[in-house]
Amino acid sequence: MSSLLKKLESGYFIPLRNRVVMSAMSRGFATPDHYATDDMRTYYARRAKGGAGLILTEGTVIHKSADGWNQAPYISSDAHAESWRPVVDAVHEAGGAIACQLWHCGRISHSDYTGDAPVSSTNQAAAGINRQNGKPYGEPRALEATEMQTIYGYYVDAARRSIDVGFDAIELHIGHGYLADQFLDARVNDRNDEYGGSVENRCRFALELVAEVLKNVPANRVLARISPSRFMGGIYEWPDIDEMLEYFIPELWNLGLRTIDVSCANSDYFETSGKIIRKIRSSWPGIIMGGASLTQEQAEAELDDGFLDLVTWGRLFMANPDLAEKIESGTPWTTYEDSMREVLS
């Protein structure tokens, strides 16, 4: 039997029927007022019926000030959370598990979405054009140190709502250049207070966030996505990556976090997240998930060699809702095409 099809039974994370994980992918098919829909229920349930062991939802916005994506779903109110309940129930009925990815875009946004200026670690706007509204990214407002607890509170409230409506776990999105990563990244974080400057200070926001969430959600139901090395028009890495990893990863463990998702934003695994995983595996006894670009043979080797515990695929799950079943039957995988992004099926 393929190692991808072995159950995950660990005290560090929820039990899973296999090691095949559908990665979080922003789709933008919620209602205009950000509620989950019946089409979303069908979409996620189809992947669960196709054998996915764990599904990570698309980025789900924790507060209006965290928005930055056309028709992204919210979990910022009880009503928004309840709209997710049929999705969760359908995934469970199909034998799968589902985690809600909690999302704060920070400066990767615009006042078109947030109302006021987006918030960030900095008051410097991100370079480039926001593909969501065709405008330059908005000029952000650097958060005051006294505001951090308010931001953590948005995450905690969203995490509680997620668990209350039946999600098996929550994923804190602290990668891909979004809010927490804007503190971690020395190229972005230009602060001179206790949240900027040194490695320890730049890690403070993410570590305090994880600590607050773990006070409210059991550790085996929390995972965090990080992306120290990823693709952004080329390979992009934290400038002081080794020093950051040597401090940040053990500190996450010391806080009680037990599962991390090392993401690479659709780049070659071995050039990005695979390289990071090899740096941190010896200091992370818990669960590591990653993948994205791996073939079945490569994924099995990463599991067998102990680098990964769970393997993520994103776009391939758009093309192959039954990816896990295809692994079991030996059926060839359908190739992903960009046109698949235009529909929710």
Side-chain angles (χ1 to χ4, degrees):
M1 181 177 68
S2 168
S3 50
L4 286 161
L5 301 177
K6 294 179 180 177
K7 294 180 180 180
L8 179 75
E9 296 176 327
S10 169
Y12 292 145
F13 195 56
I14 58 173
L16 299 175
R17 61 183 170 182
N18 60 43
R19 309 301 179 100
V20 180
V21 178
M22 175 177 162
S23 188
M25 296 172 284
S26 294
R27 302 306 313 275
F29 286 95
T31 67
D33 47 0
H34 307 289
Y35 290 91
T37 66
D38 191 58
D39 284 345
M40 290 167 62
R41 179 193 61 77
T42 301
Y43 168 77
Y44 285 112
R46 188 178 179 197
R47 275 74 192 165
K49 290 174 183 175
L54 174 67
I55 292 172
L56 304 177
T57 71
E58 60 207 279
T60 305
V61 175
I62 61 172
H63 187 265
K64 181 176 175 58
S65 62
D67 197 357
W69 197 275
N70 293 333
Q71 288 186 227
Y74 280 22
I75 197 157
S76 60
S77 70
D78 290 346
H80 284 111
E82 283 298 327
S83 74
W84 276 103
R85 191 184 291 276
V87 178
V88 173
D89 289 347
V91 169
H92 289 163
E93 288 167 7
I98 184 167
C100 188
Q101 188 190 72
L102 305 184
W103 195 22
H104 194 308
C105 293
R107 71 174 189 158
I108 308 301
S109 186
H110 189 277
S111 58
D112 285 354
Y113 301 97
T114 58
D116 297 323
V119 297
S120 179
S121 64
T122 178
N123 58 15
Q124 301 299 314
I129 300 297
N130 185 345
R131 291 178 297 173
Q132 293 300 297
N133 63 359
K135 301 177 183 179
Y137 289 107
E139 183 175 316
R141 177 180 65 81
L143 285 162
E144 299 289 340
T146 54
E147 296 180 277
M148 303 307 180
Q149 288 296 327
T150 297
I151 302 298
Y152 306 154
Y154 296 153
Y155 281 97
V156 168
D157 288 346
R160 287 172 172 164
R161 291 187 190 103
S162 300
I163 299 301
D164 286 348
V165 297
F167 279 103
D168 299 282
I170 60 101
E171 177 171 74
L172 299 172
H173 195 339
I174 58 178
H176 291 194
Y178 296 117
L179 180 62
D181 201 40
Q182 292 160 28
F183 284 85
L184 294 166
D185 190 339
R187 290 191 183 95
V188 177
N189 187 339
D190 56 4
R191 305 174 72 94
N192 57 15
D193 64 0
E194 64 266 41
Y195 291 92
S198 68
V199 166
E200 293 81 1
N201 282 357
R202 282 184 281 115
C203 292
R204 190 181 308 277
F205 178 93
L207 293 173
E208 289 182 348
L209 168 60
V210 170
E212 288 300 315
V213 170
L214 288 174
K215 291 176 185 176
N216 292 273
V217 180
N220 70 339
R221 302 182 73 176
V222 178
L223 57 152
R225 169 180 277 196
I226 63 172
S227 58
S229 178
R230 60 188 184 271
F231 183 81
M232 292 178 61
I235 302 300
Y236 182 95
E237 296 184 343
W238 292 340
D240 43 4
I241 192 165
D242 287 335
E243 189 179 0
M244 286 287 287
L245 293 172
E246 287 171 7
Y247 175 74
F248 187 51
I249 299 303
E251 285 300 304
L252 288 172
W253 180 263
N254 292 338
L255 286 174
L257 189 72
R258 294 295 179 259
T259 303
I260 52 175
D261 174 6
V262 184
S263 181
C264 58
N266 196 41
S267 55
D268 182 274
Y269 169 86
F270 293 102
E271 292 182 358
T272 52
S273 52
K275 182 174 65 175
I276 299 302
I277 289 163
R278 281 156 173 76
K279 289 177 181 288
I280 68 173
R281 179 77 270 190
S282 63
S283 61
W284 189 263
I287 303 297
I288 297 180
M289 66 173 67
S293 68
L294 297 178
T295 65
Q296 179 175 335
E297 293 73 19
Q298 290 170 333
E300 289 167 344
E302 289 295 282
L303 289 170
D304 294 341
D305 291 344
F307 292 115
L308 290 175
D309 302 285
L310 298 167
V311 182
T312 56
W313 282 282
R315 295 179 181 191
L316 274 170
F317 259 107
M318 287 192 210
N320 301 271
D322 54 350
L323 184 61
E325 289 183 346
K326 285 182 174 179
I327 291 169
E328 185 171 15
S329 65
T331 304
W333 299 358
T334 301
T335 302
Y336 166 81
E337 297 178 4
D338 280 341
S339 61
M340 295 173 180
R341 300 175 69 172
E342 305 303 316
V343 296
L344 198 69
S345 64

